[in-house]
Amino acid sequence: MRLEGKIAIITGGGSGIGHEACKLFAREGATVIVADRDLAAAERVVAEITGQGGKAVAHQVDVSKDAEVAAMIAKTVADHGRLDILVNNAGYGIAGTVVSTSEADWNALMAVNVNGVFLGCKHAIPVMEKQGGGAIVNTASAVANVGIFDRAAYVASKGAVAALTRAMAVDHVGAGIRINAVAPGTIATPYFKKILSGPDGAELRAGLEGRQAMERLGQPVEIAQAMLWLASGDASFCTGSVMVVDGGWTARGDRKPMNPRASENKA
Ligand SMILES: NC(=O)c1ccc[n+]([C@@H]2O[C@H](COP(=O)([O-])OP(=O)(O)OC[C@H]3O[C@@H](n4cnc5c(N)ncnc54)[C@H](O)[C@@H]3O)[C@@H](O)[C@H]2O)c1
């Protein structure tokens, strides 16, 4: 029970990595605020947790909206007296190069993936500071470290999350707040499971698995475990770290590029 008595907010808790993190944190003794734009999804996760004897409540939030994030933090403190852990995990990806991505799509993605982390931290840090400490875990991505084909906005957003994590860790270390990130590789979340069951699924799966040194997709719980470690006292000397959990994807120098036009780029 590494999180006994802790109060934890996990955004994007209704699906995928966030869902597994909510279940794991609750099993470790935390009271989990399952925060998601999709209230029904958050409520399903809460039912799962409470059905297994854990403590959780659902909260509807759009992490890109300042007033909604402020209200979520204020309600957590009003209802539970404190906030020990914030996992800024809500996020999404879109396809596109900088040329094909519209400004509206770029801004919408940045509002969730980057501003969502900024706003969560902006409102949680003063609370944690007042109570003498806390732990924040942000979800970056392995693509913060490598360029991938046709995902310009997403890659830029995750690079910003990694950089912001380091900047905030330095700013708030004196307040006893540890701020880290996880950088997952490609994980078998509902989104990937859906596209891999489509018509080009087999080819896509081979490409996605082949670029990770372990030649398989990660499981959401394998990312949740890293989040748990970073959020718990076990990581007491860890701040400003962007922990890569990617099956060796970014360590691998000989990965096959998933870029249909790469062969045209001859010297
Ligand atoms: N799946 C992967 O392979 C992978 C790899 C690296 C990083 N990530 C990152 O992990 C995080 C979780 O991804 P996932 O694959 O579990 O996704 P997912 O789509 O399964 O879950 C994301 C959840 O976030 C919620 N959400 C989306 N926008 C929101 C908003 N504005 N406010 C509140 N909630 C919102 C969704 O409703 C959903 O429940 C994301 O930040 C994603 O970029 C995923």
Side-chain angles (χ1 to χ4, degrees):
M1 298 292 260
R2 277 177 282 180
L3 302 181
E4 187 68 60
K6 301 288 186 194
I7 307 299
I9 296 176
I10 302 180
T11 71
S15 174
I17 294 168
H19 175 194
E20 287 302 325
C22 289
K23 289 194 296 185
L24 184 60
F25 281 35
R27 278 206 301 277
E28 291 289 335
T31 296
V32 180
I33 290 85
V34 182
D36 205 290
R37 195 168 49 180
D38 181 346
L39 182 61
E43 282 171 341
R44 282 194 296 275
V45 174
V46 167
E48 221 179 320
I49 292 171
T50 53
Q52 290 164 6
K55 294 186 279 275
V57 290
H59 186 95
Q60 186 169 31
V61 69
D62 179 342
V63 298
S64 69
K65 303 272 190 306
D66 180 62
E68 292 190 26
V69 175
M72 172 179 74
I73 306 285
K75 181 164 172 40
T76 299
V77 175
D79 290 353
H80 304 282
R82 54 191 295 112
L83 173 62
D84 301 293
I85 297 163
L86 171 65
V87 180
N88 288 306
N89 168 75
Y92 70 98
I94 55 170
T97 66
V98 285
V99 177
S100 64
T101 301
S102 71
E103 189 185 5
D105 286 348
W106 171 278
N107 287 340
L109 181 137
M110 292 296 167
V112 176
N113 291 11
V114 183
N115 298 18
V117 174
F118 158 64
L119 293 172
C121 293
K122 183 179 181 56
H123 294 293
I125 286 170
V127 171
M128 292 178 171
E129 196 166 11
K130 219 156 71 186
Q131 73 196 15
I136 296 176
V137 181
N138 302 319
T139 305
S141 166
V143 304
N145 302 327
V146 289
I148 58 167
F149 176 69
D150 205 34
R151 293 287 185 280
Y154 183 68
V155 170
S157 74
K158 294 303 184 178
V161 171
L164 180 59
T165 297
R166 288 186 284 266
M168 294 188 299
V170 172
D171 281 341
H172 303 288
V173 68
I177 304 169
R178 294 183 305 99
I179 306 176
N180 294 286
V182 286
T186 307
I187 310 302
T189 49
Y191 167 76
F192 276 111
K193 283 190 185 155
K194 195 169 145 207
I195 58 170
L196 293 178
S197 63
D200 302 328
E203 200 186 331
L204 191 58
R205 175 179 282 276
L208 292 171
E209 289 179 345
R211 71 185 177 184
Q212 310 200 118
M214 289 185 183
E215 300 202 338
R216 69 170 177 87
L217 301 186
Q219 293 301 317
V221 72
E222 294 178 303
I223 305 306
Q225 291 283 6
M227 291 170 161
L228 169 63
W229 185 76
L230 289 169
S232 77
D234 291 351
S236 50
F237 195 52
C238 189
T239 197
S241 160
V242 180
M243 185 192 276
V244 174
V245 187
D246 70 350
W249 172 13
T250 51
R252 183 177 188 172
D254 66 343
R255 57 190 174 269
K256 191 167 173 282
M258 286 184 65
N259 178 349
R261 292 200 294 273
S263 59
E264 293 165 17
N265 188 19
K266 300 228 167 68

